[in-house]
Amino acid sequence: MDPYKIREDFPILKRKINNNPLIYFDNAATTQKPKQVIDAINEFYRNHNANVHRGVHTLSQEASELYEDAHEEVAKFINADSMEEIVFVRGTTEAINLVAYAWGLWNLKKGDEVLVTLMEHHSNIVPWELLSRINGFKVKYADVNDDGTLNYEAFENAISNKTRIVCLPQVSNVTGVVNDVKKIVKMAHEHDSLVLVDGAQSVPHLPVDVKDLDVDFLAFSGHKMLGPTGIGVLYAKREILESMEPFHGGGEMIKDVTFNTVTRRCSISWNDLPWKFEAGTPHICGGVGLMAAVRYLENIGMENVRLHEKMLTGYALRRMQELEKIKIYGPRDASSKCGIIPFGIAGLSSHDVALFLDHYGVMIRSGLHCAQPLHEKFKLKSSARASFYIYNTREEIDRFVEVLKEIE
Amino acid sequence: MGVIEDYVARIEETCGEEKDFIVIFKYERKDEAVTKILRKAKIKKSISRIIFELTFQNFSFRLYGTGKAIFRNLKDKSELKRLLANLLS
């Protein structure tokens, strides 16, 4: 893949910030959008906009087909069996909440355990902690090693026959560490526990095959993989989705609502999958934009995306170690992680570092990255985080290191 | 607090144990705001004329040439607003 050619598809990368060329290293927060995605959204609103399903007119048929095609495209992208296993949601957070409330609320009880890790994004902690207040189950935290990798031994020891669901990120949003999901799935399934994988930082960056991983749930966001904000995906095995209660109630997710004049109650039957979980008018153009993003990534090839990011990460790690006052957190081996590098500079807060880089047009994130427990484990008040994607180049890393040298 | 509305676009509160306030000045008035603040506060240190470490009324804070400032160890937002009003008036 040629990142210089790819860059031509991203209008925003031509911008200057404070008279410097924009260097966008905040891809773990959100990615920039290629013109193919922008054009797909534009084209939808210009020529095909209508509400989906149960409309007989031409535009509604077109919108429905596009929206369903988007589900098909995503299913193919992660090797799901069919689009019935693909539920469109607002993002990873909503996908996890869907599992918590449509599965957990009905299946977890006092005495049960939900096992998460200390490297979790808050979105895979808070829904379970909230639900545990209602249902009384216990949320257990598997430890991570000092280098930020998952402690598999601790994980194995923490799983028991009380564990009903295991939740983990495939890739940490702080360190970029890639977890061995297959290994965890095997451990969990041996204890009849389900597995929910937060794929927000993995699906955009590596080939993900839900059948190969054998995960029960996979959650990810469109905007972190070139798509628009407000659209995300929950993959779940068909039989699990069929056994689950709906998340939200309303139009679209029902087949029939019939009023019984004797009991004066309504009896309701749910719609087919995946619509049972997509109440109300969905984010149709978000789905269309996500389809364009998936097609864009498929054209590049996810193996190529992974290789490019590994090259960039390895190069950045080497160059950053030239700096005297820098401390890089997490593993320094590019093959064990995705393109995320958390770091600190002695004497400066992460926000100072980010604002200094911003002066030179380099965008990075600073703070806790919604992963406070992991920062507490590292005894850090916050961290600066550079994260790469398909349009980033070695020259941008050189510039980034030059600016960091100036701050030192 | 009219002077704050004149110059400040947003105030971001960081999460975590130590709450920082990041003040982002309005793009079209950022240079004016930076000049006013540099005139009123005492410069302790400057890095490449990009980051200024300043003190004002016994509070330390950092000001950026790009029109942003970080205030730390403040009691709350109202204390921040009082300081900003004095710095920008």
Side-chain angles (χ1 to χ4, degrees):
Chain A
M1 62 174 271
D2 179 356
Y4 301 97
K5 193 163 179 295
I6 284 171
R7 290 176 71 83
E8 288 168 18
D9 291 332
F10 291 78
I12 204 168
L13 297 179
K14 292 182 176 65
R15 258 201 78 173
K16 292 205 163 190
I17 305 279
N18 301 321
N19 293 321
N20 292 288
L22 166 66
I23 296 179
Y24 188 77
F25 283 175
D26 193 17
N27 293 289
T30 197
T31 56
Q32 298 303 341
K33 318 304 170 200
K35 60 181 184 236
Q36 288 81 346
V37 169
I38 299 166
D39 291 349
I41 294 167
N42 196 317
E43 165 66 13
F44 175 77
Y45 277 130
R46 280 178 181 275
N47 286 310
H48 308 288
N49 179 51
N51 210 334
V52 291
H53 299 149
R54 302 185 199 193
V56 294
H57 59 77
T58 303
L59 282 184
S60 178
Q61 292 292 312
E62 287 175 6
S64 298
E65 271 173 34
L66 282 166
Y67 190 61
E68 286 169 15
D69 286 350
H71 285 71
E72 295 275 11
E73 198 74 41
V74 170
K76 201 170 72 182
F77 186 63
I78 57 168
N79 197 29
D81 270 333
S82 72
M83 66 170 263
E84 288 152 331
E85 296 181 323
I86 304 297
V87 179
F88 279 1
V89 288
R90 281 187 298 161
T92 306
T93 299
E94 189 171 79
I96 295 169
N97 275 274
L98 192 160
V99 177
Y101 289 94
W103 177 82
L105 184 67
W106 301 85
N107 289 286
L108 296 169
K109 57 185 188 309
K110 201 170 178 187
D112 290 340
E113 289 175 358
V114 170
L115 179 59
V116 301
T117 75
L118 266 187
M119 69 168 81
E120 231 62 55
H121 187 285
H122 295 164
S123 63
N124 212 4
I125 292 175
V126 180
W128 303 111
E129 287 284 0
L130 271 173
L131 189 60
S132 74
R133 294 184 195 178
I134 302 170
N135 283 19
F137 59 85
K138 187 176 173 187
V139 183
K140 272 173 85 174
Y141 292 82
D143 209 354
V144 298
N145 298 313
D146 291 340
D147 66 352
T149 54
L150 189 60
N151 185 331
Y152 291 94
E153 208 181 311
F155 208 99
E156 190 156 25
N157 291 336
I159 299 185
S160 72
N161 291 335
K162 290 180 183 174
T163 312
R164 301 293 314 281
I165 189 164
V166 161
C167 308
L168 79 158
Q170 188 169 13
V171 171
S172 159
N173 75 311
V174 177
T175 60
V177 162
V178 182
N179 292 318
D180 188 343
V181 168
K182 276 176 98 166
K183 189 173 180 169
I184 295 293
V185 168
K186 194 167 174 288
M187 284 182 205
H189 285 173
E190 277 168 8
H191 288 86
D192 291 328
S193 165
L194 297 179
V195 179
L196 183 157
V197 170
D198 169 356
Q201 301 295 344
S202 61
V203 175
H205 303 280
L206 13 123
V208 173
D209 179 331
V210 290
K211 279 199 210 117
D212 181 50
L213 294 173
D214 197 23
V215 294
D216 301 295
F217 301 104
L218 175 74
F220 56 100
S221 299
H223 72 98
K224 291 185 198 285
M225 49 188 288
L226 311 177
T229 51
I231 188 84
V233 176
L234 173 70
Y235 156 82
K237 286 178 179 164
R238 186 193 175 111
E239 62 273 20
I240 298 174
L241 282 178
E242 278 172 346
S243 72
M244 280 163 59
E245 294 294 323
F247 180 34
H248 294 143
E252 176 78 358
M253 49 76 71
I254 44 90
K255 231 179 205 147
D256 293 299
V257 181
T258 48
F259 184 66
N260 184 317
T261 51
V262 179
T263 62
R264 302 200 62 77
R265 295 283 305 269
C266 281
S267 62
I268 305 164
S269 59
W270 313 130
N271 203 346
D272 298 329
L273 293 175
W275 321 122
K276 171 183 163 184
F277 294 99
E278 294 191 17
T281 296
H283 186 7
I284 307 163
C285 89
V288 171
L290 177 60
M291 173 163 63
V294 166
R295 284 179 177 162
Y296 191 92
L297 288 169
E298 278 173 336
N299 277 339
I300 295 171
M302 290 310 292
E303 284 290 355
N304 294 327
V305 171
R306 172 73 176 137
L307 282 174
H308 177 67
E309 285 183 27
K310 207 190 276 187
M311 179 279 291
L312 285 179
T313 309
Y315 183 66
L317 285 166
R318 279 197 304 281
R319 293 278 348 251
M320 287 168 81
Q321 285 173 55
E322 291 168 15
L323 297 153
E324 281 172 19
K325 292 183 184 170
I326 204 163
K327 183 150 195 232
I328 296 166
Y329 310 118
R332 294 179 186 200
D333 165 24
S335 62
S336 66
K337 60 191 276 164
C338 273
I340 297 175
I341 304 180
F343 65 98
I345 291 184
L348 289 171
S349 81
S350 64
H351 303 302
D352 285 316
V353 176
L355 285 170
F356 191 88
L357 286 161
D358 175 64
H359 181 88
Y360 290 99
V362 184
M363 315 284 114
I364 64 153
R365 191 136 293 247
S366 52
L368 293 163
H369 321 303
C370 295
Q372 204 167 340
L374 187 63
H375 281 81
E376 284 167 2
K377 164 84 187 173
F378 288 158
K379 297 186 172 56
L380 292 174
K381 284 171 186 156
S382 68
S383 62
R385 181 184 73 181
S387 52
F388 314 123
Y389 208 28
I390 49 173
Y391 36 69
N392 292 128
T393 64
R394 285 161 70 111
E395 288 76 15
E396 287 183 317
I397 290 168
D398 290 336
R399 177 70 180 141
F400 166 65
V401 172
E402 262 174 50
V403 177
L404 288 177
K405 279 183 178 169
E406 192 168 332
I407 203 173
E408 276 199 345
Chain B
M1 293 290 175
V3 72
I4 295 179
E5 283 149 22
D6 286 347
Y7 288 100
V8 175
R10 306 171 56 78
I11 297 175
E12 298 277 359
E13 196 173 341
T14 64
C15 50
E17 199 182 315
E18 284 183 3
K19 297 254 181 284
D20 296 346
F21 291 102
I22 300 175
V23 178
I24 299 155
F25 297 106
K26 286 183 178 168
Y27 188 79
E28 63 281 8
R29 301 200 73 176
K30 69 182 169 60
D31 294 336
E32 206 185 322
V34 168
T35 308
K36 274 191 167 201
I37 292 170
L38 287 176
R39 209 177 284 148
K40 285 208 169 177
K42 191 177 166 196
I43 300 178
K44 273 167 58 184
K45 202 163 89 180
S46 144
I47 306 173
S48 309
R49 301 282 301 165
I50 294 169
I51 305 180
F52 299 94
E53 208 167 306
L54 305 167
T55 53
F56 182 69
Q57 295 179 347
N58 295 324
F59 287 98
S60 293
F61 65 100
R62 282 191 172 137
L63 178 70
Y64 293 81
T66 47
K68 288 155 192 164
I70 302 185
F71 291 81
R72 299 196 170 89
N73 305 317
L74 295 181
K75 204 167 65 197
D76 52 26
K77 212 168 182 174
S78 58
E79 189 163 47
L80 171 74
K81 287 190 170 177
R82 183 184 60 75
L83 272 179
L84 283 172
N86 289 336
L87 282 164
L88 296 167
S89 60

